[in-house]
Amino acid sequence: TYLPLAKPYVWTAGNHDTPTITNTMKGIPGVTVLDNQFTMVDGIVIGGFPDPASTSLSPDSVSDEHMKEVAQNILGMVEGHSPLPFIVAVHDPREAANLPGKVPVVVNGHTHHEDVSVEDGTVFLDAGTTGGGGLRSFNGQTESPSSLQVLYISRNPLKLEAVDSISIYGFSQEFSVTRHVFRPDEGSAAMPGMTAGQTVPRTVPTG
């Protein structure tokens, strides 16, 4: 496996991953696999929770009922961890259903669609897909771009200040960058020392 950046990687399994893939990732130097666990990277506590489908070889999707149980279990682990995680990473957004207002930042995948939203002060980030959605670009009317997000985090106290959403369009050889800037009460949910009610610009296009 080729990892292009000489930085620590934190990884949690998605619905198309398997126990074999998870074990392979655990053997790669520089990669921390979070399997219902927490880790600290440069002073930032991250919790990672895999898609339940990654523990099975069955092609069946996970039911809404099962996901509700998973979401409740994740909430219990997050609230029971000290210190509170700053970032919680899940694959399926349904896993984070109980986290609005509980943690500053939630990152998820699964949708193959880049998105930034805020609920009860918690910033939800979907980076989209680094693979352009596979063959979706050929089957749809429009291209599914490859995408990523870059987070800007301040300290004392920890707060998500902004995120750059980058989309790369392979067919047209174009790219775009959009910067989302968050208010003082966003990206700091349940974190001490923040003052609500102040305002800053929400979204600033940068290219």
Side-chain angles (χ1 to χ4, degrees):
T1 299
Y2 172 67
L3 301 178
L5 301 178
K7 298 290 184 179
Y9 281 76
V10 178
W11 184 89
T12 191
N15 62 311
H16 293 300
D17 293 314
T18 65
T20 298
I21 293 175
T22 297
N23 288 332
T24 299
M25 293 299 294
K26 289 179 179 179
I28 299 175
V31 174
T32 298
V33 174
L34 294 183
D35 187 358
N36 298 304
Q37 296 167 302
F38 301 85
T39 190
M40 181 177 288
V41 178
D42 197 21
I44 297 173
V45 178
I46 303 171
F49 303 92
D51 192 296
S54 67
T55 63
S56 171
L57 297 179
S58 171
D60 296 335
S61 59
V62 180
S63 68
D64 288 339
E65 291 74 16
H66 187 187
M67 275 299 188
K68 288 180 180 178
E69 296 178 6
V70 170
Q72 189 61 38
N73 290 337
I74 289 175
L75 175 62
M77 284 184 281
V78 167
E79 291 186 325
H81 190 271
S82 182
L84 185 77
F86 182 76
I87 298 174
V88 172
V90 299
H91 180 73
D92 193 309
R94 293 178 294 173
E95 296 177 87
N98 297 328
L99 296 182
K102 302 298 183 180
V103 295
V105 182
V106 172
V107 298
N108 70 267
H110 193 61
T111 69
H112 296 273
H113 176 72
E114 188 274 332
D115 186 60
V116 177
S117 63
V118 181
E119 185 176 352
D120 292 339
T122 298
V123 177
F124 287 83
L125 302 175
D126 187 334
T129 176
T130 57
L135 297 177
R136 290 174 175 84
S137 296
F138 297 98
N139 295 331
Q141 297 296 318
T142 59
E143 178 183 0
S144 296
S146 297
S147 54
L148 60 93
Q149 292 172 332
V150 179
L151 281 61
Y152 298 88
I153 300 171
S154 62
R155 297 179 181 274
N156 300 319
L158 283 173
K159 183 189 181 312
L160 178 65
E161 298 290 353
V163 60
D164 286 346
S165 298
I166 304 171
S167 297
I168 303 171
Y169 299 84
F171 292 168
S172 60
Q173 295 294 293
E174 297 176 335
F175 74 93
S176 66
V177 181
T178 301
R179 174 162 294 173
H180 304 262
V181 182
F182 303 104
R183 298 195 306 254
D185 58 331
E186 297 174 334
S188 58
M191 301 296 287
M194 299 307 300
T195 301
Q198 304 176 43
T199 58
V200 296
R202 284 294 303 277
T203 304
V204 181
T206 60

